[in-house]
Amino acid sequence: MAVTPTVARGAPGIPARWTSSAKSGVGTALSAKSPLWFTISHGILNEIYYPRLDSACTRDLGLVVTGPGGYFSEEKRDAAHTVEPFEDGVPGYRLTNTASDGAYKIEKRIVTDSKRSVLLQEMRFTVLKGQAADYRVYALLAPHLVNAGMGNTAWIGEHKGQRILFATGRGVSLALASSLPWGACSAGYVGFSDGWQQLHDNGGLDPSSRAAENGNVALTGEIGFSAGKTVALLALGFGASPEEAADLALASLQQGFEPAAKTYVETWRTFQAGLERLDRHAASGLNAYRVSSAVLATHLSLARPGAAVASLSIPWGFNKGDDDLGGYHLVWPRDLVEAAGGFLAAGDGRQALQILTYLRSIQQPDGHWPQNCWSDGTAYWPGIQMDECAFPLLLADALRRAGHLPESRLADFLTMIENAAAYVVRNGPVTGEDRWEEDAGYSPFTLAVEIAALLAAADMLDASGKNEPANYLREIADCWNDQIERWTYVTGTPASARAGIEGYYVRIAPPDDGGAASPKDGFVPIKNRPPADTDRPAEAIISPDALALVRFGLRAADDPRILNTVKAIDAELRRDLPQGPLWYRYTGDGYGEHEDGAPFDGTGRGRPWPLLAGERAHYELAAGRKDKAAQLLETFERSAGVGGLLPEQVWDRPDMPDHELRLGAPSGSAMPLVWAHAEHIKLLRSLRDGAVFDLPPQGVERYIRGRTVSPLRIWRFNNKIRSIPAGKALRVELSAPGVVHWSSDKWLTVQDSRTAENAFGIHLVDLPVSRLRPGTTIVFTFFWPGAMRWENVDFSVGIDAS
């Protein structure tokens, strides 16, 4: 009987959703001819990215098995899964999915074709109960072309005499071909007429459902397995047109799996052979170092060498739709510098330098870097985080000190360095957002990065013969370093009483407020909390972030204030889990699942971060406790999920099987987190070397050994200080030429001090007030020669006892 092809019913389908972020494998061919990245979870393929690693084009591709009596089994839900790499450090995968009811077994091998933008999946279907003729096996493909599940069109077509499953959307097309001829096929709308619905409800596909246009669509095809044909090769090709995608898929099919796998493996072996030998087999049996190095390399861009995304995942993706375009497949400059540090620790200075070159290309005209961006440099979120504006300076100096950025090449980056340093000194020390992308103020972590970066930039400017600007950067660094405790160290709080300590560094103190005696007396809005439950006193919020003061060389590991803070961190934020101790980001964190296991949806409760175990291990190493650092390395590695991938967060409550949450195991957050894998590599290198690998030496030399103290304090319009210690000079810094009209005796006598412009375009003057007695108040205003006007507002700074 003839079937009239029709468009499937149910347009446009249910709202699109992404899928689990709990990846068990990620891979790519490391080939410019194959701009394709894939992810694996629950025994099936998830997001596949093309032609850029920030452009997800599928939700998932898995199998459904049907049989007599309405038998219906979906491998991702109804089977036990195992995954293993082809070999250490080679992210080609063998998957085995064994039906929970013992009816069948599916074995897969997955790679991408190094010659083409094609993903190859060889699969063997083995019947364990009954006969092969009893079962039918269907491939289900959910296109989400170019970061969107809606607005796709799918159809069943032919190309060069072969039946092909097609989809297109937003200028990209895909084509799924099979080495065994397709049987029944359909294209439908998800939730109404897709193949899953048809097979589940009717036991077969509707042959008239041949197309689904402009919606949330799915493709389904029966793979021609039989008793004599138990192995099939599926080729999923991508291109600018359906014809190109189909041509590529058919070419890969004709070549076969083995030649593609051979080239894929050899390329990865070559990459791994060039790295430092930091090999370490975790309790899982996997070579944890080679997993981490492969994760870093898999997240690199081809179109923009040096770009790398934070994760090929969308946290809690199964709960998110097209409104979350970016997920974590975006470039964060901070995460990118951390990844560069991982490459550097692994001995790949060339890749770290390529990352610095990319960062130079996306630096904004005023010297800052975007909060995050697409791999082409287009900004995504609008915030500015001062640590991200400073981190590239630390990377440049690390490369210089390691010999990868000699003076002959340093000149190529000098403009970048000068612009970044200028932005930091003009806009710091307060950050618009801390490293957790939430709050403005004085963050110990951000301060540590800013100060260390200014010292590093000063050394690079000195090496370039620019001594005067270098000295200015050191003056700013010294001034800020002197005030870290004034801004962020509190004493006599309830938390310090509970921990039996004098005080501790807070997570963040809000920007100076004229009504507060100190920034520490203000309130911090905790994000990701219900609207009525946000503000907390700054003094009540503790974070491991303060350990950055040791990591970046500004405070000694045995500084009493650091020791106190470690006790406070452990009292408030440590959680002992099956793998060992882990830590929360900060008091009251709301970024994580709800208590009932429901996914983060804008509010929730933060869970422990394995990354913080790596940071704590580096602190322990800095403190001379290598054994504790080694124990924390094991904890870090035991926090990995299936396949050895490190998650952003782990679950800290009793098991909730319905939500796939187990105590100590990865939560629904991002996995893998590139930053965590970079920290893992750096920790391996640090433990081997017996010293913190990425510790900048300048702060140690200047503040810990040299005990340098700043002779001045700085007043600016964006940092109006209210007092200075006796014995300090008062520097006034302006963005335009000015005359400071000032008095120290209530205007009985007046002095005028004219500013001078420095190399960074800052107009400054030092007021000679170092001999004024405590209790004196300096009053001043400004005359602006360029506009020939007065400021008409008086400002004051008091002299405190030193």
Side-chain angles (χ1 to χ4, degrees):
M1 181 177 75
V3 175
T4 302
T6 60
V7 173
R9 63 180 178 81
I14 62 174
R17 289 288 181 268
W18 292 98
T19 189
S20 172
S21 57
K23 309 307 178 191
S24 53
V26 293
T28 188
L30 294 181
S31 165
K33 295 179 180 178
S34 182
L36 202 64
W37 296 259
F38 68 90
T39 66
I40 294 168
S41 176
H42 296 77
I44 69 170
L45 287 159
N46 289 165
E47 295 97 345
I48 301 169
Y49 296 79
Y50 166 89
R52 304 189 328 195
L53 80 169
D54 53 15
S55 177
C57 286
T58 65
R59 180 186 189 273
D60 54 18
L61 170 57
L63 302 180
V64 165
V65 179
T66 65
Y71 181 82
F72 180 94
S73 178
E74 187 176 10
E75 62 172 341
K76 71 178 180 182
R77 290 188 175 93
D78 303 320
H81 315 296
T82 64
V83 57
E84 59 177 332
F86 281 7
E87 58 186 67
D88 285 348
V90 177
Y93 297 95
R94 296 184 187 88
L95 310 181
T96 302
N97 299 329
T98 306
S100 302
D101 59 12
Y104 63 84
K105 179 172 69 175
I106 298 166
E107 297 164 284
K108 305 178 184 179
R109 292 194 295 166
I110 298 174
V111 297
T112 56
D113 187 338
S114 302
K115 299 177 181 178
R116 306 169 187 88
S117 51
V118 178
L119 186 137
L120 290 169
Q121 185 172 203
E122 180 197 74
M123 52 184 67
R124 179 184 299 274
F125 180 69
T126 303
V127 174
L128 303 178
K129 285 183 180 178
Q131 305 298 317
D134 294 339
Y135 298 95
R136 296 181 184 273
V137 181
Y138 299 86
L140 270 67
L141 171 62
H144 271 46
L145 288 159
V146 194
N147 294 325
M150 302 303 290
N152 294 284
T153 293
W155 69 98
I156 310 302
E158 289 201 3
H159 186 75
K160 296 183 178 177
Q162 299 253 26
R163 183 181 280 188
I164 305 285
L165 281 58
F166 287 104
T168 191
R170 284 161 289 279
V172 171
S173 297
L174 61 77
L176 182 62
S178 172
S179 63
L180 296 180
W182 293 113
C185 297
S186 81
Y189 293 102
V190 173
F192 293 94
S193 55
D194 63 273
W196 191 96
Q197 301 288 336
Q198 295 175 24
L199 294 170
H200 183 268
D201 296 344
N202 306 316
L205 295 180
D206 178 358
S208 70
S209 291
R210 308 282 292 182
E213 300 171 352
N214 192 28
N216 181 12
V217 301
L219 288 157
T220 310
E222 182 186 350
I223 303 170
F225 289 121
S226 64
K229 296 179 178 178
T230 59
V231 177
L233 178 60
L234 297 188
L236 180 59
F238 293 84
S241 68
E243 293 77 15
E244 180 187 13
D247 278 339
L248 294 171
L250 293 176
S252 287
L253 274 186
Q254 186 173 14
Q255 173 191 255
F257 186 84
E258 295 300 341
K262 183 173 184 289
T263 304
Y264 186 95
V265 169
E266 287 174 350
T267 303
W268 276 99
R269 282 177 180 165
T270 300
F271 165 74
Q272 295 285 3
L275 302 182
E276 290 276 336
R277 299 190 180 281
L278 302 172
D279 298 79
R280 171 185 167 82
H281 284 83
S284 64
L286 292 167
N287 187 325
Y289 168 57
R290 300 296 172 174
V291 170
S292 286
S293 56
V295 167
L296 262 60
T298 296
H299 284 75
L300 289 167
S301 171
L302 291 172
R304 292 294 298 269
V309 298
S311 177
L312 290 170
S313 72
I314 300 171
W316 300 282
F318 55 87
N319 196 49
K320 294 184 178 179
D322 290 355
D323 54 341
D324 189 0
L325 285 178
Y328 272 23
H329 44 274
L330 294 160
V331 177
W332 271 264
R334 171 186 46 256
D335 295 52
L336 186 54
V337 171
E338 298 284 8
F343 280 113
L344 200 54
D348 194 347
R350 181 197 63 82
Q351 185 58 62
L353 181 58
Q354 201 164 58
I355 288 173
L356 184 68
T357 304
Y358 168 78
L359 283 164
R360 180 181 62 184
S361 76
I362 66 166
Q363 187 182 28
Q364 302 302 292
D366 65 357
H368 87 276
W369 275 272
Q371 178 180 2
N372 56 21
C373 61
W374 299 104
S375 60
D376 66 2
T378 303
Y380 185 65
W381 287 343
I384 295 179
Q385 300 169 20
M386 292 302 295
D387 67 317
E388 293 196 308
C389 302
F391 259 126
L393 294 169
L394 290 174
L395 174 58
D397 189 56
L399 286 163
R400 180 184 69 90
R401 289 184 285 103
H404 300 295
L405 191 59
E407 285 188 24
S408 58
R409 290 291 310 276
L410 185 61
D412 297 339
F413 292 90
L414 197 56
T415 299
M416 182 204 86
I417 292 165
E418 290 176 316
N419 289 345
Y423 189 87
V424 172
V425 297
R426 286 167 183 253
N427 295 279
V430 167
T431 183
E433 292 182 347
D434 65 337
R435 72 162 170 169
W436 305 122
E437 309 191 289
E438 295 177 357
D439 290 317
Y442 297 94
S443 155
F445 183 93
T446 303
L447 286 165
V449 178
E450 288 175 317
I451 293 166
L454 291 181
L455 296 178
D459 278 6
M460 290 184 283
L461 290 180
D462 269 344
S464 304
K466 299 198 171 192
N467 306 114
E468 187 177 335
N471 288 336
Y472 172 73
L473 295 184
R474 293 190 182 101
E475 287 177 343
I476 296 292
D478 294 348
C479 183
W480 291 356
N481 180 68
D482 269 7
Q483 299 179 84
I484 290 173
E485 282 70 34
R486 184 178 81 80
W487 290 326
T488 67
Y489 191 80
V490 297
T491 58
T493 71
S496 60
R498 287 195 299 271
I501 54 177
E502 171 221 27
Y504 49 85
Y505 294 97
V506 298
R507 173 205 165 204
I508 194 166
D512 280 348
D513 179 340
S518 154
K520 299 170 293 193
D521 295 332
F523 286 79
V524 172
I526 297 185
K527 302 297 173 67
N528 307 313
R529 305 283 298 182
D533 185 30
T534 56
D535 284 6
R536 296 283 195 282
E539 68 171 31
I541 308 173
I542 297 168
S543 172
D545 286 3
L547 297 185
L549 296 169
V550 177
R551 181 73 172 264
F552 294 103
L554 308 188
R555 299 292 181 272
D558 61 354
D559 184 305
R561 296 163 300 197
I562 293 291
L563 295 176
N564 283 340
T565 303
V566 168
K567 291 179 181 177
I569 290 167
D570 287 348
E572 299 282 330
L573 302 173
R574 172 172 163 152
R575 178 66 191 271
D576 291 319
L577 293 166
Q579 61 266 50
L582 291 180
W583 287 266
Y584 299 97
R585 294 194 302 175
Y586 58 81
T587 312
D589 185 9
Y591 183 54
E593 281 90 355
H594 292 269
E595 287 295 87
D596 63 0
F600 172 77
D601 56 2
T603 65
R605 178 169 176 174
R607 307 295 165 184
W609 284 54
L611 164 70
L612 297 177
E615 293 187 353
R616 178 60 174 265
H618 272 109
Y619 166 74
E620 297 295 344
L621 185 61
R625 294 185 287 270
K626 189 174 181 179
D627 55 339
K628 282 195 174 182
Q631 290 170 6
L632 285 167
L633 170 64
E634 292 186 12
T635 298
F636 198 0
E637 291 175 346
R638 285 198 294 264
S639 299
V642 176
L645 303 185
L646 291 167
E648 182 180 67
Q649 302 176 43
V650 300
W651 184 241
D652 58 351
R653 305 281 293 161
D655 293 358
M656 292 188 177
D658 290 349
H659 290 281
E660 297 188 0
L661 296 170
R662 291 185 300 105
L663 180 66
S667 72
S669 58
M671 186 168 76
L673 185 67
V674 171
W675 182 3
H677 283 280
E679 180 72 2
H680 175 243
I681 293 172
K682 286 189 278 188
L683 182 54
L684 290 171
R685 177 67 182 267
S686 297
L687 284 166
R688 189 196 75 178
D689 295 352
V692 176
F693 173 74
D694 56 357
L695 173 66
Q698 294 91 347
V700 175
E701 195 61 40
R702 195 167 184 85
Y703 303 131
I704 298 175
R705 296 195 182 116
R707 301 185 180 277
T708 299
V709 175
S710 172
L712 54 84
R713 291 292 181 265
I714 299 169
W715 186 99
R716 298 173 174 173
F717 276 97
N718 69 343
N719 190 24
K720 300 184 184 83
I721 60 174
R722 296 180 291 276
S723 63
I724 63 173
K728 304 288 185 185
L730 176 62
R731 173 174 290 175
V732 177
E733 295 191 346
L734 307 172
S735 59
V739 177
V740 184
H741 185 69
W742 64 283
S743 172
S744 60
D745 56 9
K746 301 181 181 179
W747 298 117
L748 293 175
T749 60
V750 176
Q751 298 186 56
D752 286 332
S753 300
R754 183 177 293 271
T755 63
E757 185 176 8
N758 72 3
F760 296 101
I762 295 170
H763 302 264
L764 58 88
V765 62
D766 290 348
L767 305 185
V769 300
S770 59
R771 294 186 178 180
L772 295 180
R773 297 164 62 92
T776 305
T777 298
I778 306 157
V779 184
F780 55 96
T781 189
F782 303 100
F783 178 73
W784 305 103
M788 292 300 291
R789 68 173 181 84
W790 288 91
E791 181 69 20
N792 288 328
V793 176
D794 286 352
F795 303 94
S796 64
V797 174
I799 306 293
D800 291 338
S802 56

